Amino acid sequence: MTQDETVAVGTDAPSGTRPDGEQGNGVAVAFGRQLKLLRVRAGLDRAEFGQRMGYAAQSVASFEQGRRIPQPAFVDKADRLLDAGGLLVALKEELARSQYPAFFRDMARLEAEAVELCAYDTHIVNGLLQTEEYMRAVLAMRRPLLDEETIELRVAARLARQEILSRWPAPLLSFVVEEGALCKRLGGKSVMRGQLEQLLLFGALRNVELQLMPLDREDNAGVDGPYTVITRKGGEQFVYTEVQGHSNLLTERDETRLAAARYGIIRGQALTPRETLARVEKLLGEL
């Protein structure tokens, strides 16, 4: 998302605790309890159940304790294997939403329904384009510190969001990123090398247009900062902004139209997608 979508409204909790709005993750805990009851009823220990599901016993324990959010495919398979009659599947949608910070859940839903998404980013690579290593590097730099469990939950959630890149029907995805974001060696050279390589891969996708705003541009309509414009089927638009621990979702038509028009100007000022890939290759060679 624009900037780091892991920033919650307010401030993050100190190391060793969960951020506000994530205490206990009630949906995940409820799902975990149901999963354990059904597994025990079926006479399976964690190791045997995990083997049948294709997961380690430790992963099963994390699901049952509400510490990790399982993927939808796991929920469907577990429901069938444990003869749950739909009890687990009934929680699947809320379970998927619960993996995001409370402030981001509405945005995650809109993102999943988008037919078009246009994102302008200034400080870091957009979350939908990040590698797993880059994600961890960014999350580890949050202050106050995030605990390791929260980092892993947020990495898993962000990776799940990248399904939008391969979804069908394919949404139209446009990303404009300031060149300065790619010059920061967050996580070190190897992390940034992998991130630049992934940008080349994603930038080559038919439904993705990746553009770079060069450092030497004299004209830049993005001076007010990063934002994302999402369009749903039917043409309804939303604008998401995030800065210094606060997020905002704009729905007023005049505001969203102006934001979309401004994004069009930003795109016109940036490098073309072809020029962008050439510039990314150049930056990669300089690492």
Side-chain angles (χ1 to χ4, degrees):
M1 236 351 62
T2 56
Q3 295 305 91
D4 178 7
E5 84 277 9
T6 63
V7 183
V9 173
T11 58
D12 287 318
S15 178
T17 63
R18 288 185 180 281
D20 292 342
E22 289 191 23
Q23 292 289 348
N25 195 333
V27 177
V29 171
F31 174 86
R33 289 174 178 170
Q34 288 277 24
L35 179 65
K36 182 177 181 180
L37 286 172
L38 291 165
R39 175 180 61 75
V40 172
R41 186 188 69 174
L44 300 173
D45 60 26
R46 282 176 178 162
E48 185 177 0
F49 175 65
Q51 185 177 20
R52 295 189 184 187
M53 291 292 297
Y55 286 77
Q58 184 178 2
S59 296
V60 174
S62 295
F63 297 151
E64 292 183 347
Q65 294 162 10
R67 295 187 290 109
R68 284 183 57 193
I69 307 296
Q71 294 297 311
F74 176 94
V75 178
D76 292 335
K77 187 174 181 179
D79 195 277
R80 295 191 300 269
L81 179 62
L82 298 176
D83 194 22
L87 288 175
L88 297 179
V89 172
L91 291 171
K92 185 168 65 171
E93 183 174 342
E94 284 304 310
L95 191 65
R97 281 170 52 82
S98 74
Q99 67 187 320
Y100 303 107
F103 84 100
F104 189 71
R105 289 171 190 167
D106 287 339
M107 180 57 182
R109 176 178 55 79
L110 291 173
E111 192 176 80
E113 299 171 355
V115 295
E116 182 181 37
L117 183 147
C118 301
Y120 170 60
D121 294 280
T122 60
H123 289 76
I124 61 172
V125 175
N126 191 280
L128 294 176
L129 303 175
Q130 293 176 5
T131 65
E132 187 171 341
E133 293 76 14
Y134 185 91
M135 292 176 191
R136 287 197 173 87
V138 170
L139 292 168
M141 293 177 194
R142 294 288 304 135
R143 297 295 186 273
L145 296 172
L146 298 176
D147 62 85
E148 291 301 320
E149 188 175 313
T150 298
I151 288 176
E152 291 308 309
L153 282 172
R154 293 186 176 185
V155 166
R158 198 173 299 186
L159 288 171
R161 287 174 52 220
Q162 293 183 351
E163 177 271 339
I164 193 174
L165 294 163
S166 57
R167 195 171 70 205
W168 191 263
L172 301 176
L173 305 174
S174 171
F175 301 92
V176 177
V177 60
E178 291 286 336
E179 185 176 11
L182 305 188
C183 296
K184 300 173 183 177
R185 297 184 179 181
L186 302 180
K189 286 186 178 181
S190 62
V191 171
M192 284 308 301
R193 184 175 294 109
Q195 182 60 68
L196 292 176
E197 289 172 347
Q198 178 147 297
L199 288 179
L200 291 175
L201 291 174
F202 285 164
L205 296 176
R206 291 172 58 201
N207 65 318
V208 174
E209 291 207 352
L210 176 65
Q211 295 179 255
L212 205 61
M213 181 69 79
L215 289 170
D216 60 1
R217 276 292 190 263
E218 295 183 5
D219 298 308
N220 187 339
V223 292
D224 285 338
Y227 66 101
T228 300
V229 180
I230 285 188
T231 304
R232 290 200 300 192
K233 188 176 181 180
E236 189 177 14
Q237 290 185 317
F238 303 84
V239 176
Y240 177 80
T241 63
E242 188 181 315
V243 63
Q244 291 298 318
H246 295 273
S247 62
N248 193 25
L249 192 63
L250 305 177
T251 59
E252 205 281 322
R253 180 176 293 183
D254 288 342
E255 290 183 314
T256 60
R257 284 181 174 177
L258 283 173
R262 186 164 60 250
Y263 186 82
I265 296 173
I266 293 171
R267 287 192 64 184
Q269 294 168 334
L271 296 177
T272 68
R274 187 182 298 275
E275 292 169 337
T276 292
L277 294 182
R279 182 68 67 92
V280 173
E281 287 181 343
K282 182 176 182 294
L283 291 173
L284 185 58
E286 294 173 352
L287 276 179

